[in-house]
Amino acid sequence: MTAPESEPAVKPAPPPPVHDEEALTLLRDGTLEVAGRLVEATNMTLYCSVKLGSRSAACVYKPVRGERPLWDFPDGTLAAREVAAFEVSQATGWRVVPPTVYRDGPFGPGMCQLWIDTEREIDLMRLVKSRNPVVRRMAVFDAVVNNADRKGGHLLPLPTGHVYGVDHGVCFSVEDKLRTVLWQWRGKPLAREAVAVLAKLERDIESGDLGRKLRELLTLAEVEATWQRVRRLLDTGVHPYPSEGWPAIPWPPRSRAIRAGLLAFAPCAR
């Protein structure tokens, strides 16, 4: 095992527009009202408002019925994978995924995620190529969840310096499908912080609350494969290399326009 690498201290993630627990309650129990559709998204992705009493927020709602069939992921499972990614994010303490729940909505069950307004002045290409330790956390997270679609447009930088990641529907395959634009740390020793977090994840998946939650959202084989990926990262002590049998970078690259407000307000047939 390679000795872990030290790195500058990373500031804790700032609170989202609503506290996580409040956001989850709002997303889970609030009334959803569809405002428009994000037209560049591959699957049906609806921009909504959610209200509960005096609380309200913007959110993204992806109904299962709007998921496009994929050859390498079972039909109707993408929403649950997005929620599973949030649960892993919470378990790391890094909060790299916005609050996300699985719930019923105007077009049936699906995932609902808090909308995050980004810092639009930040150059995404520069951020993607940077050695930013917050982005490095995202690279470790992606290796754990086996993210097959980490595009630059899926990074949401905030003015505070925190970075969220979105669009985790094609994660948790039992096969090695890591496709990402964040390969700058490939083969580099994991940071000490990452090693500590991975050790905690290993325990939480094997016998803790995270394992229970993941088994409700994924197949047993997918949960076991997630544990194995964590174990492999700990055994090697380095960021993974691209797979020899799988494309290293997602294609086609998506722009940040999906999250920048390109909404179509055409009605959606129910």
Side-chain angles (χ1 to χ4, degrees):
M1 174 178 173
T2 304
E5 182 179 279
S6 60
E7 65 177 17
V10 186
K11 295 180 180 179
V18 193
H19 187 274
D20 278 353
E21 289 305 318
E22 292 180 356
L24 292 171
T25 299
L26 179 61
L27 292 171
R28 189 180 297 113
D29 301 330
T31 300
L32 280 178
E33 183 175 339
V34 178
R37 182 170 65 88
L38 279 70
V39 296
E40 286 199 359
T42 303
N43 300 298
M44 181 186 285
T45 303
L46 303 174
Y47 179 78
C48 302
S49 64
V50 58
K51 298 179 181 179
L52 182 64
S54 62
R55 297 277 186 179
S56 65
C59 63
V60 171
Y61 162 52
K62 297 182 181 179
V64 171
R65 65 183 285 188
E67 294 178 5
R68 184 185 67 175
L70 300 173
W71 67 269
D72 54 345
F73 284 87
D75 293 350
T77 67
L78 305 191
R81 295 174 193 278
E82 296 240 31
V83 180
F86 168 72
E87 296 296 350
V88 173
S89 165
Q90 290 297 94
T92 63
W94 292 338
R95 295 176 52 246
V96 295
V97 179
T100 310
V101 303
Y102 192 94
R103 60 161 293 171
D104 201 4
F107 294 93
M111 87 82 162
C112 189
Q113 184 176 83
L114 188 68
W115 178 272
I116 302 294
D117 287 318
T118 65
E119 174 53 75
R120 299 188 182 184
E121 299 303 316
I122 293 177
D123 185 332
L124 270 185
M125 288 301 296
R126 180 174 295 180
L127 180 66
V128 163
K129 296 177 180 179
S130 73
R131 301 282 176 166
N132 186 320
V134 179
V135 177
R136 188 175 188 177
R137 287 174 169 177
M138 190 76 70
V140 176
F141 168 81
D142 285 343
V144 170
V145 302
N146 198 14
N147 191 351
D149 194 34
R150 174 61 73 206
K151 301 184 178 83
H154 296 168
L155 297 179
L156 307 183
L158 274 61
T160 58
H162 186 60
V163 180
Y164 280 110
V166 295
D167 290 334
H168 299 106
V170 287
C171 293
F172 297 103
S173 173
V174 296
E175 301 175 359
D176 186 6
K177 292 183 181 291
L178 183 59
R179 290 193 303 186
T180 176
V181 293
L182 306 177
W183 287 115
Q184 56 265 51
W185 294 283
R186 62 190 181 280
K188 300 293 185 183
L190 293 164
R192 293 184 185 278
E193 177 202 32
V195 172
V197 167
L198 290 168
K200 178 179 179 295
L201 281 184
E202 181 189 23
R203 297 189 299 270
D204 285 353
I205 295 172
E206 186 172 30
S207 58
D209 196 43
L210 177 59
R212 177 187 62 79
K213 291 177 179 178
L214 292 182
R215 287 190 291 273
E216 294 174 354
L217 297 162
L218 307 170
T219 67
L220 292 178
E222 288 166 343
V223 177
E224 173 64 20
T226 303
W227 183 88
Q228 293 288 353
R229 286 191 297 273
V230 173
R231 184 66 260 168
R232 184 164 64 246
L233 287 167
L234 287 169
D235 287 344
T236 62
V238 300
H239 287 262
Y241 286 94
S243 170
E244 294 182 357
W246 184 253
I249 299 174
W251 185 261
R254 308 287 287 183
S255 74
R256 69 190 300 171
I258 288 179
R259 300 288 297 194
L262 287 182
L263 307 179
F265 290 92
C268 301
R270 301 197 183 190

